[in-house]
Amino acid sequence: MRRLSNNRTSFTTGFRFSSQWSSFDNIIGSHFREPIPSTTHPNYHHHLFGRSCVTTELLPLPFANKSHIRRQPLKHNFSSVAVEPAEIDWDNLGFKFMPTDYMYMTKFYEGENFSKCELQRFGNIQLNPCAGILNYGQGLFEGLKAYRKHDGNILLFRPNENGLRLRMGAERMCMPCPSVEQFVEAVNATVLANERWIPPAGKGSLYIRPMLMGSGAVLGLAPSPEYTFLIYVSPVGNYFKEGLAPINLIVETVTPRATPGGTGGVKTIGNYAAVLKAQIAAKENGFSDVLYLDSVHKRYVEEVSACNVFVVKVLYFFHFVVYQ
């Protein structure tokens, strides 16, 4: 990481937590993937895709005839003309879903290699009512962001780590999974296809939500025979209404977030609905979120529902000088 400064991290009485990022000039180090250059950059294909299996020819926007809505082979033929930004009130984004132009989606079967790479218009998907994700919660998701710099370049924060975590989760949930390289290439393709939805520098970010789920029909309790990998994006502002300011957390002493031997170590979809009851109660009482303790001793800090928490222990050293 070349430069990512943290002005202040505090954890005080009443569990008021603050974490403010003051600079996002360059958040990807040389050991991470290069920044995604703007489509106006003459050599951006090389920097972005490398050995990618993605070929990109975006579907027309908008569609005058629904018969044109189909998956097409994709080629790298983006225009060199600057992309016009979407007409959005960038100063009041908030953290809510906003449909964009394209999503990435592919299906593959147990035992198959993950190889098909497809972009298509964003829209609803079809699922069998007997799908593994609907009946048994066999699914994972990730969350990362793309940022626009003042010079127009687009930055991703270590997407390879998200790809690695997805693979770890897939192993736990008995699911096949794209490689880290394929994951990063899919993220890159989806971000560039939706470039006009990336907020201007300092106005927010493009939230990226990759998902891996058992989409095949399975009645008995077993791994799904078919899997869907998809990525959609949405422009967002700050998650909490307080913005870049301290938030109030309530300590949950009854309901744990995760238990030993469970799935708390992976981002499986079923981990999240269980926190809604405590989170709703917290917000009704004026708190921003919930701070969970460990499930065994109920005294050790573990995590917050929707953000990370860091506790910093500061040691003070006093140097005494004796003058004679």
Side-chain angles (χ1 to χ4, degrees), residues 63-74:
F63 289 101
N65 187 336
K66 289 187 178 180
S67 64
H68 292 294
I69 302 180
R70 63 184 186 276
R71 295 174 182 170
Q72 299 182 0
L74 307 170

Side-chain angles (χ1 to χ4, degrees), residues 12 66 168 170 194 320:
T12 59
K66 289 187 178 180
M168 294 171 59
N194 294 283
F320 295 92

Side-chain angles (χ1 to χ4, degrees), residues 19-92:
S19 179
Q20 301 184 15
W21 301 108
S22 64
S23 173
F24 226 107
D25 289 346
N26 215 333
I27 58 176
I28 302 179
S30 58
H31 56 295
F32 294 132
R33 195 169 182 87
E34 296 180 24
I36 301 177
S38 168
T39 53
T40 58
H41 193 292
N43 296 320
Y44 86 94
H45 303 124
H46 169 74
H47 289 289
L48 172 63
F49 292 103
R51 294 176 294 166
S52 171
C53 62
V54 177
T55 55
T56 314
E57 178 180 81
L58 299 182
L59 304 180
L61 237 180
F63 289 101
N65 187 336
K66 289 187 178 180
S67 64
H68 292 294
I69 302 180
R70 63 184 186 276
R71 295 174 182 170
Q72 299 182 0
L74 307 170
K75 298 182 296 187
H76 300 162
N77 65 343
F78 292 103
S79 171
S80 60
V81 178
V83 176
E84 291 294 328
E87 295 183 3
I88 298 175
D89 182 2
W90 299 112
D91 294 316
N92 295 286

Side-chain angles (χ1 to χ4, degrees), residues 19 27 50-51 57 102 112 135 162 223 232 249 320:
S19 179
I27 58 176
R51 294 176 294 166
E57 178 180 81
Y102 298 99
E112 285 187 345
N135 291 262
N162 293 87
Y232 67 87
L249 302 177
F320 295 92

Side-chain angles (χ1 to χ4, degrees), residues 76-255:
H76 300 162
N77 65 343
F78 292 103
S79 171
S80 60
V81 178
V83 176
E84 291 294 328
E87 295 183 3
I88 298 175
D89 182 2
W90 299 112
D91 294 316
N92 295 286
L93 274 180
F95 199 94
K96 57 185 179 181
F97 173 69
M98 186 178 299
T100 53
D101 295 332
Y102 298 99
M103 65 181 181
Y104 178 103
M105 190 172 78
T106 187
K107 293 185 178 182
F108 53 107
Y109 296 87
E110 182 67 52
E112 285 187 345
N113 292 325
F114 179 86
S115 59
K116 297 179 181 179
C117 302
E118 302 165 329
L119 283 170
Q120 62 185 64
R121 281 296 306 275
F122 179 84
N124 294 337
I125 63 173
Q126 291 185 337
L127 278 177
N128 190 303
C130 199
I133 181 64
L134 299 179
N135 291 262
Y136 302 115
Q138 191 186 24
L140 300 160
F141 77 88
E142 278 297 324
L144 61 159
K145 295 179 180 180
Y147 297 83
R148 189 185 300 278
K149 290 180 61 180
H150 290 283
D151 62 7
N153 279 343
I154 303 166
L155 300 178
L156 292 172
F157 181 54
R158 60 179 194 180
N160 52 317
E161 295 295 326
N162 293 87
L164 180 60
R165 183 169 61 177
L166 186 71
R167 290 189 62 82
M168 294 171 59
E171 193 278 331
R172 176 66 174 84
M173 303 300 290
C174 301
M175 305 169 71
C177 186
S179 68
V180 173
E181 182 181 31
Q182 291 166 334
F183 175 91
V184 173
E185 289 171 349
V187 168
N188 288 348
T190 311
V191 170
L192 278 187
N194 294 283
E195 182 178 352
R196 73 190 189 99
W197 296 93
I198 304 176
K203 298 292 186 179
S205 59
L206 186 72
Y207 185 82
I208 307 163
R209 171 58 62 84
M211 298 182 67
L212 179 64
M213 56 186 171
S215 52
V218 52
L219 185 59
L221 181 58
S224 175
E226 176 196 270
Y227 296 88
T228 297
F229 176 60
L230 67 85
I231 303 175
Y232 67 87
V233 297
S234 177
V236 296
N238 292 312
Y239 185 88
F240 294 102
K241 64 180 181 179
E242 293 87 351
L244 295 179
I247 60 173
N248 294 313
L249 302 177
I250 185 172
V251 179
E252 174 59 53
T253 59
V254 177
T255 305

